[in-house]
Amino acid sequence: MAPKEWAIDARFRALTKTLPLTLHDDGGPGGHFITTRDEFLDWVKGRKQVRMDQFYPLMRQKLGLLVDAKGKPEGGKWSFDADNREHARGVTMPKVPWFAPDELTQKAMRWVGREEVGSWGALDGFGWPVTRTQALSWLKHFVDTRLKDFGPYEDAIRSDERFLFHSLLSVPLNLGLLRPDEVARAAAAKYEKGHVSLASAEGFIRQVIGWREFIRGTYWWLMPGLRSANGLGAKLPLPDFFWAPERTSLQCVKEAVQGVHDTGYAHHIQRLMVLCNYATLAGLDPRAVSHWFWAAFVDAYEWVELPNVVGMGTFGSDAFTTKPYIASAAYLKRQSGLSAKGRGPVAAKHEAPCARCTFDPDQRTGEKACPFNAMYWDFLVQHRERLSKNLRMRQMLTTLDRFGPEQVKSIRATAAAHRATLEPFVPPWTFREDDG
């Protein structure tokens, strides 16, 4: 089977010129992906930019999922993403059914734990599925117990709940223990039986046969240039707290990194709107951020982390994203269940990162101001010329204009003061991309 990563794949293809070696695509019927590489490259041919919402309907129609006989979408539209924005304040989550490590897994854990290996992360509590049987059990548990609530709460953040209603199926999927079509069909079957809402089923299916397939296709389309893509010219090295979370006072960042350390995982809002949002606003080198994601996550291959981190996460490339995915503390506060100042109930302090943070999510300037606020508006100032051409960013630029020069000056000074506190991490290793 053709390797999933570009450099290893290139070496294997070179071998086919001198050895009787045939490489089989890892996509297509029964494969690790629904589409073959050539199918995606044929679709993208002649395009300078591609969008997932152009690609996703084709996948639904190809598999006959949530479509009628004419290929029209169930419920009259392809995406119900707008229905899936609830915070999870006070919501009780089901427990994750971790597996006890078998003998082979324990042997691997002992090897990983050797001092000379120099691994990062925690071995205690390892319980990910490592066999096909375990992966199928994991899938059944998700569609039976968590899928119904996945949609509404997929964008929520909770300090006391690392996994919420997320499927965690990216791990067995990316390892090849599950096929994307069987995962998507299992979710569709629950909707067809009336057990889950269309918004939950569609939202999950979109991630599996839409975004996952799309990201894998763009990887092969844009490589090897995607590795060095840096459209915003970000240059700061990775701060030390990405490896030592106790060194940051930003509660949401600390919790996300600590979760990765402890489990090798963080859900998609922590990845995109906490970690990558911070990296983009701070001006961290996308390649350095990509290396961290690749090294730290249990579901990471270059094919999945690189386009997600460099393309979508840090806006290093605009080949398949329309705007930077950035937000101030207001977004993080809202998704953790904290209400606006002085209005309505708030999440319990143990639930909301913003409620436990030393920084104030309602302040833009000063020592106590949340760095996400100052860096957000500073980012808009820095990249105004480019962002002004994007219709989706103009409203925020109009808001920026209302601040006045003195407030903008103070905001930028607060952002600069925060960046000045960042200590770069100097690794005792060399990261070899071409070796995977």
Side-chain angles (χ1 to χ4, degrees):
M1 188 176 69
K4 286 183 171 66
E5 286 164 337
W6 175 82
I8 302 174
D9 181 80
R11 290 207 296 275
F12 270 65
R13 294 193 183 278
L15 288 174
T16 63
K17 298 176 182 178
T18 56
L19 295 174
L21 175 67
T22 300
L23 291 180
H24 297 275
D25 199 298
D26 53 355
H32 292 181
F33 301 93
I34 295 165
T35 56
T36 66
R37 297 179 195 176
D38 286 343
E39 285 174 333
F40 189 90
L41 294 176
D42 285 343
W43 176 75
V44 85
K45 197 171 291 179
R47 304 172 190 245
K48 292 182 179 179
Q49 291 183 322
V50 294
R51 298 289 179 259
M52 202 274 283
D53 60 4
Q54 303 163 342
F55 175 79
Y56 169 52
L58 304 179
M59 294 297 97
R60 289 260 296 274
Q61 292 165 340
K62 183 173 184 172
L63 295 180
L65 287 176
L66 305 183
V67 292
D68 62 20
K70 295 182 179 179
K72 300 296 183 181
E74 185 84 12
K77 56 183 180 179
W78 293 108
S79 173
F80 289 82
D81 189 44
D83 297 350
N84 296 339
R85 305 278 172 82
E86 295 295 321
H87 58 72
R89 182 177 65 228
V91 177
T92 301
M93 319 292 172
K95 290 185 177 180
V96 177
W98 300 107
F99 298 98
D102 58 22
E103 185 178 346
L104 181 60
T105 303
Q106 291 178 42
K107 183 179 178 180
M109 291 166 72
R110 287 193 294 271
W111 183 87
V112 169
R114 290 162 57 193
E115 185 176 348
E116 60 268 31
V117 174
S119 298
W120 181 78
L123 288 172
D124 293 343
F126 181 90
W128 294 100
V130 297
T131 68
R132 167 79 171 160
T133 299
Q134 288 178 347
L136 288 169
S137 171
W138 197 267
L139 170 61
K140 184 177 187 305
H141 184 271
F142 169 68
V143 297
D144 286 349
T145 65
R146 300 204 299 283
L147 176 59
K148 64 184 177 64
D149 293 309
F150 167 79
Y153 305 119
E154 66 174 301
D155 286 359
I157 303 170
R158 282 268 295 266
S159 290
D160 58 332
E161 292 287 350
R162 284 175 170 166
F163 308 107
L164 292 99
F165 295 99
H166 292 278
S167 75
L168 314 182
L169 291 172
S170 60
V171 179
L173 269 170
N174 292 357
L175 287 172
L177 297 176
L178 294 173
R179 297 190 313 274
D181 57 333
E182 69 182 336
V183 170
R185 291 189 191 284
K190 285 293 179 180
Y191 165 70
E192 289 161 1
K193 292 176 182 177
H195 296 166
V196 304
S197 69
L198 178 57
S200 273
E202 185 281 318
F204 177 70
I205 288 169
R206 181 169 10 100
Q207 303 305 319
V208 177
I209 70 169
W211 188 250
R212 183 175 183 269
E213 294 284 322
F214 179 74
I215 280 292
R216 180 264 192 157
T218 58
Y219 172 76
W220 291 105
W221 174 46
L222 297 172
M223 284 298 284
L226 193 56
R227 282 183 176 174
S228 56
N230 191 353
L232 298 175
K235 297 177 181 178
L236 285 184
L238 198 72
D240 58 359
F241 57 72
F242 273 80
W243 297 107
E246 70 278 3
R247 297 180 186 174
T248 179
S249 297
L250 267 167
Q251 190 66 24
C252 60
V253 174
K254 181 188 296 184
E255 290 175 4
V257 176
Q258 189 66 53
V260 178
H261 174 275
D262 294 348
T263 67
Y265 176 88
H267 63 73
H268 79 105
I269 289 298
Q270 289 177 308
R271 299 185 197 209
L272 179 63
M273 300 310 298
V274 176
L275 298 173
C276 280
N277 183 22
Y278 180 90
T280 305
L281 297 179
L284 306 186
D285 179 0
R287 198 167 194 161
V289 181
S290 166
H291 286 174
W292 180 78
F293 271 84
W294 194 356
F297 281 78
V298 288
D299 57 359
Y301 283 90
E302 188 184 41
W303 72 262
V304 63
E305 65 77 17
L306 184 63
N308 268 303
V309 172
V310 171
M312 186 183 192
T314 61
F315 205 57
S317 168
D318 62 359
F320 60 94
T321 52
T322 57
K323 71 175 186 67
Y325 277 81
I326 53 173
S328 68
Y331 171 86
L332 301 170
K333 178 182 172 182
R334 182 172 68 250
Q335 293 311 116
S336 67
L338 287 179
S339 67
K341 248 185 178 178
R343 289 184 297 171
V346 299
K349 191 170 184 178
H350 70 274
E351 292 183 359
C354 288
R356 307 171 69 224
C357 192
T358 58
F359 296 108
D360 187 339
D362 295 314
Q363 290 188 32
R364 298 190 191 106
T365 61
E367 290 183 6
K368 289 296 183 181
C370 177
F372 276 100
N373 286 336
M375 291 197 302
Y376 176 81
W377 297 107
D378 182 56
F379 179 91
L380 296 186
V381 174
Q382 288 184 61
H383 302 286
R384 177 169 196 135
E385 182 177 354
R386 178 173 181 172
L387 298 176
S388 64
K389 300 172 186 176
N390 190 316
L391 290 174
R392 297 177 68 187
M393 298 301 298
R394 287 182 184 173
Q395 181 179 350
M396 301 315 297
L397 292 174
T398 300
T399 302
L400 175 65
D401 289 338
R402 298 193 188 110
F403 289 166
E406 286 304 313
Q407 189 174 5
V408 170
K409 183 179 178 181
S410 182
I411 287 171
R412 302 205 69 187
T414 301
H418 175 72
R419 291 191 189 96
T421 68
L422 303 183
E423 292 288 341
F425 175 74
V426 182
W429 62 79
T430 300
F431 199 98
R432 296 195 298 268
E433 293 167 311
D434 286 352
D435 290 337

